[in-house]
Amino acid sequence: MASSSKTITVVSSDGDEFEMTMKAAEQSKLITHMLDEFGVSDKVPLYNVNSETMAKVMEYCKKHADHEAAKEEDGGAAIGAGGEEELKKWDDEFLKVENGLLFNIILAANYLEIKSLLDSSCQAVADMIKGKTPEQIREIFNIKNDFTPEEEAKLRSENEWAFQED
Amino acid sequence: MEVLSVFGIGVLSQPFVLAATVTALCFLLAFFSVVRSFSLPYSLKALRSSIHSDGFSVRKSCDCACSCNGIVENSDSPSTSALPYLNGGGAEMLEATPSPSPNLTPLPTPALLTDRRTGASMMENLVPEITTHALSYLDYPSLCRLSMTNSLMRKAANDDNAWKALYHKDFTLEQDSVTPVNGWKSYYAATRAIVNINAQFYNIVRVKSLSAMSDFWLNADYVKCIHASGELFSGYNAVMQSWQLAFNWEQGLNFQVRDVRARVLTDMAWVTMKTYVDVDTGPFNVTNVFEFHNGRWYMVHHHSSVMDGEMEQQIVHG
C-alpha cells in the first residue's frame, strides 16, 4: 500500500504541473504507456490538455482510483451494491460543467485514453441533446444556423419520419 | 580622379573619408542583416510550436494574436493551421464566433477564449472518431434533430456509419454486409416505417377491426393468407373472409410479438417474427410481406405456423 503512493508529475499545455498517484495515473492508458517507455522520474508532458481541463481530469482519476482501491480492500464488501451507483451519481455531478469545459474533457479523455470518462462525458452531451428541438440544440451548443428557409423546410420534410412518434 | 589630384593635401583625406564611410556603411548593413537573421528563427519557432500540438493548435495561435486585438483577426491564422484538425469546414465556424453570446466581455484569458471558440463549433472540433463515438449515444430522433441545426452538423449527423451502428443497435445485427442503395439513414427510416406498419397489423388483429384490415391489405388477386390452422386463402376477397371468420371465432387475442426482423427493398419488404399468445396457444412463427403502392405500404402476404416442438400440444388441444 505504501509503495503504491508513488507520485508522478504531469505538465499541462499552460505549463502547470500536477501531481498524481500511480494508481490515479493508471486510469489513463496513455500515461501508463508513457511511463512504461520513459520511466517515472521524468515529468510527463501533456501538451494537448490545458490546466483547467487537467485539473478536472485529475479529480476524476483520483476519485476512480480511490474507488478501485476501496473495492480491492474489502473484497468488494466496503463498496457494496450502492457503491457503483454512488460513483455514477458522482460522475453525473462531476460532469455538470459549462459546455466548453465538457467538450475539453471529452477531447482530453480521448487523448489520455480514459475510456470510462470518455463514455460518461459523451453520454452527458447526448443527454443534453435528447428531446430537444433543433433550435434548442443550437442555443445550447452555440451552433450557427446557416440554412436558408427553403433548405430548412426541405430538411424538416426529410426528417419528418423521426418526429412522428412518442 | 584627376579632379582629386588637383586638390593636393585635401585630396589625400578625401578618398580615405570615402573609403571609411563605405566601410562603415558596409558594417552597418552587415550588422542589421545579422540581427534580422536572429529574429526570424524566433518567430518561426513560435509558429512551429503553435502548429505542433494537434487539436489545440487553435488555442496556441489564439494566444499570440488575441493579446493585441479583437477576436476576428484570429480567424485568418488559426483557420489555416487548424484545418487539418477540424472536421471539414471548421474554419468557417471559427469566424462566426464573434456574433453569439454577447454576455462574455472581451476575454482576457486564453482559456475562456478557447471555451467560447470551441463553444461555437464544439461538435465540429471533435475529431472524427470521437464524433462517431459521441453520436452513438443518441437515439434516432435526436440524431435527426441534430442534423437540422446547421450544415456541418448535418454532415456529421448523417454519417453512414453512425446510422449503420444505430440500425444494428435498434433492429438487428443481421444485414451487416448489406449496402443500402440510399445509405444507412434512409434504410433505417424505411425499416422503422415497416416495423411500425407491422405493429399496426397486430393492433388491427387485437381490436378485431375488419374495416381496418380490409384497408390494410392490397386489393389484388395474388395476395395470400395462411393462418395457423394451416388453411390457405388466395385473393383479396377470400383473405378478408378468412379474417372475418377469425375475428368472429377466436377469443381475445393478446399478442406478444418478438424477434422482429425486417428486410426492406425499394417497394417490397418482408418481416419475420415470433408471436406469443398464451400458454396454451402458440408460439407461432410468422412471415408478413408488404408492397409499396401509391405512397403507402400494403400487406400482400401473411403466413403463420406453429413453432416446432409445440406440434404435439397443438394436436392434443385440437
Side-chain angles (χ1 to χ4, degrees):
Chain A
M1 285 262 240
S3 61
S4 65
S5 62
K6 255 200 299 197
T7 62
I8 61 151
T9 315
V10 295
V11 190
S12 74
S13 63
D14 303 331
D16 293 329
E17 295 183 3
F18 297 81
E19 251 191 42
M20 59 191 313
T21 63
M22 281 299 284
K23 198 98 173 92
E26 274 160 24
Q27 297 289 319
S28 156
K29 279 213 185 108
L30 180 82
I31 297 182
T32 312
H33 287 153
M34 285 175 95
L35 290 176
D36 285 341
E37 274 204 47
F38 301 116
V40 192
S41 52
D42 299 336
K43 293 187 189 154
V44 182
L46 298 172
Y47 293 143
N48 277 356
V49 189
N50 67 17
S51 293
E52 191 195 7
T53 317
M54 186 69 89
K56 279 298 257 186
V57 173
M58 294 287 119
E59 203 188 323
Y60 181 89
C61 290
K62 182 174 188 312
K63 175 73 180 177
H64 278 244
D66 291 344
H67 179 90
E68 271 182 33
K71 258 186 10 194
E72 284 166 17
E73 222 167 290
D74 287 359
I79 295 292
E84 295 299 327
E85 256 201 55
E86 257 191 64
L87 186 67
K88 174 106 192 23
K89 276 205 198 121
W90 184 91
D91 283 351
D92 291 341
E93 277 305 310
F94 171 80
L95 290 169
K96 284 196 180 134
V97 293
E98 181 244 345
N99 283 347
L101 179 56
L102 182 57
F103 274 82
N104 280 346
I105 291 175
I106 294 180
L107 286 165
N110 181 56
Y111 173 66
L112 295 171
E113 294 177 65
I114 309 172
K115 187 174 187 308
S116 59
L117 180 57
L118 182 62
D119 289 345
S120 308
S121 44
C122 284
Q123 181 70 61
V125 172
D127 290 341
M128 276 196 270
I129 298 177
K130 278 198 188 131
K132 304 279 194 318
T133 66
E135 189 48 53
Q136 288 167 328
I137 298 175
R138 282 192 202 114
E139 255 172 81
I140 296 173
F141 296 110
N142 244 351
I143 298 175
K144 185 161 180 262
N145 181 10
D146 59 356
F147 291 132
T148 64
E150 298 84 34
E151 282 174 331
E152 274 202 69
K154 179 163 164 276
L155 275 176
R156 171 81 205 193
S157 65
E158 264 178 28
N159 288 292
E160 190 62 50
W161 63 274
F163 287 82
Q164 268 159 11
E165 35 188 305
D166 304 324
Chain B
M1 290 303 182
E2 292 169 301
V3 179
L4 291 173
S5 61
V6 169
F7 287 90
I9 301 173
V11 167
L12 270 174
S13 56
Q14 255 193 354
F16 179 72
V17 171
L18 194 63
T21 325
V22 172
T23 319
L25 272 171
C26 287
F27 267 119
L28 276 170
L29 278 171
F31 178 70
F32 275 124
S33 66
V34 166
V35 168
R36 268 261 165 90
S37 68
F38 270 129
S39 60
L40 265 178
Y42 180 79
S43 59
L44 265 177
K45 224 193 287 175
L47 192 63
R48 210 175 291 130
S49 74
S50 76
I51 301 178
H52 173 58
S53 47
D54 36 290
F56 285 67
S57 62
V58 176
R59 287 178 196 93
K60 279 278 165 106
S61 30
C62 277
D63 293 350
C64 308
C66 79
S67 51
C68 5
N69 259 317
I71 302 145
V72 185
E73 220 162 287
N74 287 340
S75 51
D76 293 336
S77 50
S79 62
T80 45
S81 58
L83 261 176
Y85 306 113
L86 300 177
N87 279 344
E92 299 155 15
M93 283 311 289
L94 287 173
E95 288 171 31
T97 33
S99 41
S101 52
N103 300 333
L104 298 172
T105 50
L107 305 163
T109 61
L112 269 176
L113 177 68
T114 329
D115 290 339
R116 210 230 272 192
R117 179 153 307 227
T118 51
S121 54
M122 278 189 283
M123 294 296 245
E124 296 96 337
N125 268 346
L126 301 177
V127 286
E129 58 261 23
I130 312 182
T131 313
T132 318
H133 189 77
L135 292 179
S136 70
Y137 286 89
L138 291 173
D139 55 8
Y140 73 92
S142 307
L143 208 50
C144 284
R145 290 193 187 117
L146 185 64
S147 77
M148 289 165 65
T149 50
N150 83 348
S151 55
L152 273 154
M153 287 283 82
R154 182 173 57 175
K155 224 188 279 180
N158 283 351
D159 177 53
D160 213 43
N161 286 322
W163 283 98
K164 182 168 193 270
L166 195 57
Y167 180 90
H168 288 313
K169 189 163 92 168
D170 287 353
F171 295 122
T172 168
L173 291 169
E174 295 168 1
Q175 306 190 49
D176 191 51
S177 50
V178 159
T179 311
V181 179
N182 297 322
W184 278 95
K185 183 176 179 182
S186 72
Y187 195 64
Y188 185 100
T191 310
R192 175 68 48 188
I194 280 292
V195 168
N196 290 342
I197 299 276
N198 196 62
Q200 210 182 320
F201 171 71
Y202 280 102
N203 286 337
I204 296 174
V205 173
R206 273 192 204 103
V207 300
K208 296 192 194 178
S209 165
L210 191 61
S211 60
M213 189 62 90
S214 44
D215 191 52
F216 197 72
W217 280 75
L218 184 68
N219 193 338
D221 60 356
Y222 57 81
V223 303
K224 292 175 181 62
C225 186
I226 305 165
H227 291 281
S229 58
E231 269 191 276
L232 164 79
F233 297 90
S234 187
Y236 181 76
N237 294 326
V239 170
M240 286 307 122
Q241 277 171 12
S242 75
W243 281 111
Q244 187 164 46
L245 278 168
F247 291 159
N248 290 341
W249 170 62
E250 285 175 38
Q251 284 106 345
L253 299 162
N254 221 346
F255 287 96
Q256 250 195 67
V257 183
R258 296 193 212 146
D259 296 342
V260 178
R261 303 274 183 268
R263 174 83 176 119
V264 187
L265 305 165
T266 322
D267 44 18
M268 211 209 74
W270 51 277
V271 190
T272 57
M273 69 222 80
K274 296 181 173 40
T275 56
Y276 298 79
V277 188
D278 50 46
V279 191
D280 291 335
T281 327
F284 302 96
N285 277 317
V286 179
T287 304
N288 290 334
V289 184
F290 301 90
E291 277 184 18
F292 196 74
H293 295 277
N294 302 325
R296 57 159 281 201
W297 290 98
Y298 290 90
M299 182 172 260
V300 294
H301 188 96
H302 169 81
H303 188 158
S304 179
S305 64
V306 181
M307 243 189 248
D308 213 14
E310 302 295 330
M311 265 314 249
E312 289 183 349
Q313 238 183 350
Q314 191 71 3
I315 294 169
V316 167
H317 286 273

